[in-house]
Amino acid sequence: MISINNLTFEIGSRALYEEANWHIKPGDKAGLIGANGAGKSTLLKLIVGDYSPTAGSISMAKDLKIGYLNQDLLSYHSEKSILHVAMEAFERQNQLHAEIELLLQKLETDYSDDILNKLSDKQMEFDALDGYNIEFRAHEILAGLGFSEEEQQRPLATFSGGWRMRVMLARILLQTPDILLLDEPTNHLDLPSIKWLENYLQAFEGAIVIVSHDRYFLDRIINKTVESRKGKLTVYAGNYTFYMEEKSLREEIQSNQFKNQQAKIKQEEKLIERFRAKASKAKMVQSRIKALDRMEKIDDVDDDNPAVNFSFKFSKPSGRHVVTLEHVSKSYPNLEILQDTGAIIEKGDKIALIGANGKGKSTLLRIVADADQEFSGSSTKGHNVSQTFFAQHQLEALHLENNLLQELVTFAPKHTETELRSILGCFLFTGDDVFKKIKVLSGGEKSRVALAKALTADANFLVLDEPTNHLDMASVNILIQALQQYEGTLIVVSHDRYFLDHVANKIWFIEDKKIKEYPGTYEEYETWNAKRPVNSAPKAEKKIAKEEPKKEKAAPNEDHTRLLSRKNKELALLEQKIAEGERELKALELHLAKEDTYSDATKLQEATRAYNSYKASFEKMQLDWEQLAEEIMALDD
């Protein structure tokens, strides 16, 4: 499909890629990963021809249809409705529609066979291209990405950058290209839209290359992981979790090979040194020196995910109740967010505030942080609470002429320079990096500096709004470790599910204009939320429900007992089939991951078809189990 051969690409004197190779095959769903600055977005631009290789080649079929989503699309401007902009994807269908309308107008005065034949031909082609359903398809995808019917009629120019990017994504998806190149597609999506996109891409029949720092998103879609590192592209035959496990194994082997080689080199050097002065051994010594020079050196393993020990300081611990919200109501013109609701943040809580965009997450966060005064009710800080608030706009508050160390010294004078260097080191700023001016940093680097500042504050309560934006996976991992070591209280808004699952011990969400709480991790919340009836949720306020008087159950009749017994037997049999199905599905996944499978297009196609077919039947079994379990529960009542 696309063949990257011995690719070299230089920016100034720096080689971003050096003789890199990668073959993208039909059906590949690949995650392109690597640290910020490793050249991931650049590689996509090389594939679509925005950049030209310094050496090597990128070849593909001339008629290959590429759908490319990149952050440059934010500059696209139109006064037309977003439905119209999305439907621009149907270039040929739109052209045919215009031609058909023109022919219909001519037909009002000209009944010639020529006009009738042309009209028939155009209508047949329009029908063959599914032209009568294109508006429905556009509606469907825009709705999946979070746009209401009313919003779909609004001009693109009236939407913010993040929502415009969703429209561009919709347009690209509607083009049904042979291959999708998606650069950070989840950047501007909320959790419901991310889940919708996951389902869409799982069913997409073409090839996909995704650049993303959302490891949960990657795990659910990709069947290959390609690491961009040190100018090379390394392919792993599995999703992100497989990559992590496989890379760990490869690094362990490499580390052992490195240690063995170093031991051999030291042994040889000792031997050379011992006999260097002896003329009778000169030939042997020279031979060993040449052998050492010819030896292909094995590099030691670089630790891309260092463990960090973060030193937090706050003068006083807070009281038991950190923030108490009572009778809070908040409205905007034509939109009510919160209505007479309350909640309590207690000492030690690590709360993830989640939900769709527009449901009031950021509004509630600002109320908690005292950054929004225009609401009714009260938000009260507890005893000895000291707070720091991190949001993306704080990147603009960085002093551009300061270097990194100066920025932190000014903000956190209680810390020593050594401590601040250590904190910057935790955020991947080492050595002379600390003397870089803020103005020369990338967006991701500025975000890391702003986070370092927030975490050096004398605060026992952290309020964090999208702290993982612009961070690569290594930086997210560092932030997770830092917050796990933080002994204070925090509340965070983020769409990174991996981050939330490793940080939060409580989940807040807004439902029916009330603050609702789930007392557990994000993964536990997801499991619970998938099973609960629609519109049911636990109460935010901790009230004890009055027990209803228990009604005596009528003695079951014989038919009821026999029916319950039969359905329980069916359930047990189905559980056995599901267990067997899980084993079979795992076997098919292992077969897909084998090199002799994915390197052969025919074998890969057959294996993928078998996997998808079995997966569909397996999911049907799971649905049958859920339905049967619900029937049994109803019979038990």
Side-chain angles (χ1 to χ4, degrees):
M1 186 173 250
I2 297 177
S3 183
I4 298 171
N5 300 301
N6 298 321
L7 174 71
T8 297
F9 181 72
E10 295 171 348
I11 299 177
S13 58
R14 180 190 170 207
L16 202 57
Y17 287 102
E18 195 166 6
E19 296 188 355
N21 294 279
W22 179 20
H23 300 288
I24 305 171
K25 302 179 179 68
D28 278 358
K29 293 185 176 179
L32 179 57
I33 66 166
N36 284 343
K40 304 183 296 295
S41 297
T42 301
L43 183 62
L44 299 189
K45 289 180 183 291
L46 283 160
I47 290 172
V48 297
D50 288 352
Y51 296 157
S52 298
T54 306
S57 65
I58 299 176
S59 56
M60 65 191 79
K62 287 183 179 179
D63 59 349
L64 187 70
K65 194 175 175 185
I66 298 176
Y68 175 39
L69 179 81
N70 65 92
Q71 303 306 308
D72 296 342
L73 293 174
L74 279 169
S75 61
Y76 185 86
H77 181 85
S78 176
E79 294 296 334
K80 294 175 180 175
S81 73
I82 63 169
L83 179 62
H84 187 282
V85 172
M87 288 180 65
E88 289 172 0
F90 303 110
E91 191 175 341
R92 179 57 183 160
Q93 291 94 324
N94 289 333
Q95 183 186 349
L96 285 167
H97 183 266
E99 291 172 359
I100 288 167
E101 289 296 312
L102 189 61
L103 287 168
L104 286 170
Q105 287 176 17
K106 287 183 179 179
L107 199 60
E108 291 175 6
T109 56
D110 184 352
Y111 302 104
S112 66
D113 288 344
D114 181 50
I115 296 293
L116 285 169
N117 289 334
K118 282 181 180 177
L119 180 62
S120 176
D121 289 345
K122 300 292 182 189
Q123 287 176 329
M124 283 178 65
E125 186 183 354
F126 189 68
D127 188 35
L129 293 172
D130 201 26
Y132 296 104
N133 287 320
I134 59 175
E135 187 168 340
F136 169 76
R137 287 168 57 196
H139 275 302
E140 190 177 37
I141 284 185
L142 286 170
L145 290 170
F147 293 100
S148 66
E149 287 289 328
E150 184 184 354
E151 286 170 332
Q152 290 181 30
Q153 304 305 323
R154 278 174 47 194
L156 179 73
T158 64
F159 288 90
S160 65
W163 288 95
R164 286 202 304 273
M165 185 58 82
R166 292 189 190 206
V167 179
M168 297 296 102
L169 176 58
R171 190 171 71 171
I172 288 166
L173 296 179
L174 286 165
Q175 290 170 348
T176 56
D178 302 310
I179 181 168
L180 282 169
L181 306 180
L182 305 175
D183 193 357
E184 295 291 356
T186 64
N187 257 9
H188 303 286
L189 300 184
D190 53 19
L191 285 173
S193 299
I194 290 172
K195 290 175 184 176
W196 177 88
L197 182 60
E198 283 175 357
N199 292 333
Y200 183 92
L201 295 178
Q202 283 168 355
F204 182 72
E205 293 181 356
I208 305 172
V209 176
I210 306 171
V211 173
S212 177
H213 296 139
D214 185 335
R215 61 184 75 192
Y216 274 23
F217 180 71
L218 291 175
D219 258 353
R220 284 159 172 75
I221 296 165
I222 64 174
N223 54 28
K224 281 188 181 178
T225 304
V226 181
E227 183 182 38
S228 175
R229 190 167 181 271
K230 293 186 175 180
K232 303 294 184 187
L233 294 167
T234 307
V235 179
Y236 294 80
N239 65 10
Y240 187 83
T241 298
F242 174 87
Y243 152 78
M244 291 293 288
E245 293 168 354
E246 181 70 13
K247 187 179 182 186
S248 177
L249 182 62
R250 292 186 192 187
E251 286 181 345
E252 186 180 350
I253 293 168
Q254 182 183 335
S255 178
N256 290 334
Q257 288 175 335
F258 172 78
K259 287 173 185 173
N260 291 338
Q261 188 180 66
Q262 289 301 303
K264 184 177 180 181
I265 288 170
K266 284 180 182 177
Q267 187 180 14
E268 289 294 300
E269 286 174 343
K270 279 183 182 177
L271 200 65
I272 290 166
E273 194 58 36
R274 182 179 175 186
F275 293 108
R276 189 185 291 276
K278 293 189 178 182
S280 60
K281 302 291 184 182
K283 190 174 181 182
M284 181 270 287
V285 167
Q286 287 303 314
S287 174
R288 289 182 179 270
I289 290 172
K290 287 177 182 177
L292 274 182
D293 289 341
R294 287 194 304 269
M295 184 184 290
E296 189 174 336
K297 300 296 189 294
I298 298 168
D299 294 328
D300 197 4
V301 174
D302 292 335
D303 189 356
D304 293 330
N305 291 292
V308 300
N309 185 15
F310 212 95
S311 176
F312 287 99
K313 288 186 176 182
F314 44 84
S315 306
K316 299 175 183 176
S318 71
R320 180 185 169 188
H321 290 170
V322 176
V323 178
T324 303
L325 302 174
E326 294 180 295
H327 302 294
V328 173
S329 294
K330 173 71 180 181
S331 296
Y332 294 105
N334 305 318
L335 181 64
E336 188 175 29
I337 299 290
L338 300 167
Q339 184 186 75
D340 192 23
T341 187
I344 296 174
I345 300 176
E346 296 184 335
K347 182 181 178 182
D349 280 352
K350 293 185 177 180
I351 297 169
L353 176 53
I354 66 169
N357 286 345
K359 292 293 184 183
K361 299 189 304 294
S362 294
T363 298
L364 177 55
L365 203 68
R366 288 196 301 273
I367 290 172
V368 167
D370 292 334
D372 187 336
Q373 304 297 326
E374 296 179 7
F375 67 95
S376 61
S378 64
S379 172
T380 309
K381 291 287 191 297
H383 180 63
N384 278 342
V385 172
S386 54
Q387 169 194 293
T388 189
F389 182 28
F390 171 84
Q392 290 299 312
H393 69 263
Q394 287 175 285
L395 274 63
E396 298 163 15
L398 296 172
H399 300 88
L400 298 181
E401 292 302 324
N402 277 351
N403 64 40
L404 277 63
L405 195 55
Q406 287 169 337
E407 188 73 11
L408 263 66
V409 166
T410 306
F411 183 75
K414 289 185 180 179
H415 287 267
T416 67
E417 185 175 311
T418 303
E419 286 173 335
L420 294 176
R421 276 177 169 269
S422 175
I423 289 166
L424 285 168
C426 289
F427 281 93
L428 307 181
F429 297 112
T430 57
D432 290 341
D433 287 345
V434 301
F435 300 116
K436 282 182 179 177
K437 296 266 189 185
I438 301 287
K439 64 182 180 183
V440 305
L441 301 181
S442 67
E445 288 170 330
K446 285 178 183 173
S447 192
R448 299 208 306 267
V449 174
L451 274 168
K453 278 182 68 175
L455 297 181
T456 54
D458 181 12
N460 53 37
F461 179 44
L462 299 179
V463 182
L464 307 172
D465 191 3
E466 296 289 0
T468 61
N469 275 8
H470 308 299
L471 297 186
D472 58 22
M473 288 178 181
S475 302
V476 170
N477 187 49
I478 286 165
L479 181 58
I480 287 169
Q481 291 180 67
L483 295 179
Q484 285 173 340
Q485 294 170 42
Y486 180 61
E487 293 178 359
T489 306
L490 67 86
I491 182 168
V492 58
V493 168
S494 175
H495 297 140
D496 188 322
R497 291 160 292 177
Y498 179 84
F499 169 75
L500 293 179
D501 198 39
H502 285 75
V503 167
N505 57 24
K506 279 186 182 177
I507 307 298
W508 275 16
F509 56 100
I510 299 169
E511 188 173 77
D512 300 327
K513 301 167 191 173
K514 305 292 184 186
I515 303 166
K516 306 291 179 74
E517 179 182 293
Y518 177 83
T521 65
Y522 178 78
E523 186 176 0
E524 290 166 343
Y525 162 80
E526 281 281 83
T527 303
W528 166 80
N529 191 46
K531 292 178 180 176
R532 73 183 180 127
V534 178
N535 295 327
S536 72
K539 301 291 182 187
E541 292 85 6
K542 298 179 179 178
K543 294 178 181 176
I544 299 170
K546 290 181 182 178
E547 284 194 18
E548 294 289 331
K550 292 183 180 178
K551 296 178 182 177
E552 282 194 28
K553 288 187 179 180
N557 60 37
E558 191 178 351
D559 288 342
H560 179 277
T561 305
R562 197 181 301 119
L563 179 63
L564 188 59
S565 174
R566 179 170 63 79
K567 287 194 175 290
N568 274 313
K569 285 178 182 176
E570 287 176 11
L571 190 73
L573 186 63
L574 202 51
E575 284 172 347
Q576 186 179 342
K577 285 183 179 178
I578 287 171
E580 291 169 1
E582 285 174 341
R583 290 192 290 272
E584 178 64 21
L585 209 58
K586 188 68 178 174
L588 289 168
E589 285 172 353
L590 290 171
H591 181 59
L592 270 171
K594 288 181 179 177
E595 189 174 352
D596 64 339
T597 302
Y598 68 74
S599 59
D600 184 316
T602 305
K603 283 184 181 178
L604 180 63
Q605 199 170 23
E606 289 173 359
T608 303
R609 194 182 297 113
Y611 174 77
N612 288 337
S613 174
Y614 195 84
K615 189 179 179 186
S617 62
F618 179 75
E619 288 171 352
K620 173 71 168 56
M621 277 195 288
Q622 290 178 310
L623 288 171
D624 290 345
W625 183 92
E626 288 175 13
Q627 186 177 343
L628 196 55
E630 285 175 8
E631 289 174 12
I632 290 168
M633 285 171 68
L635 286 168
D636 270 337
D637 287 343

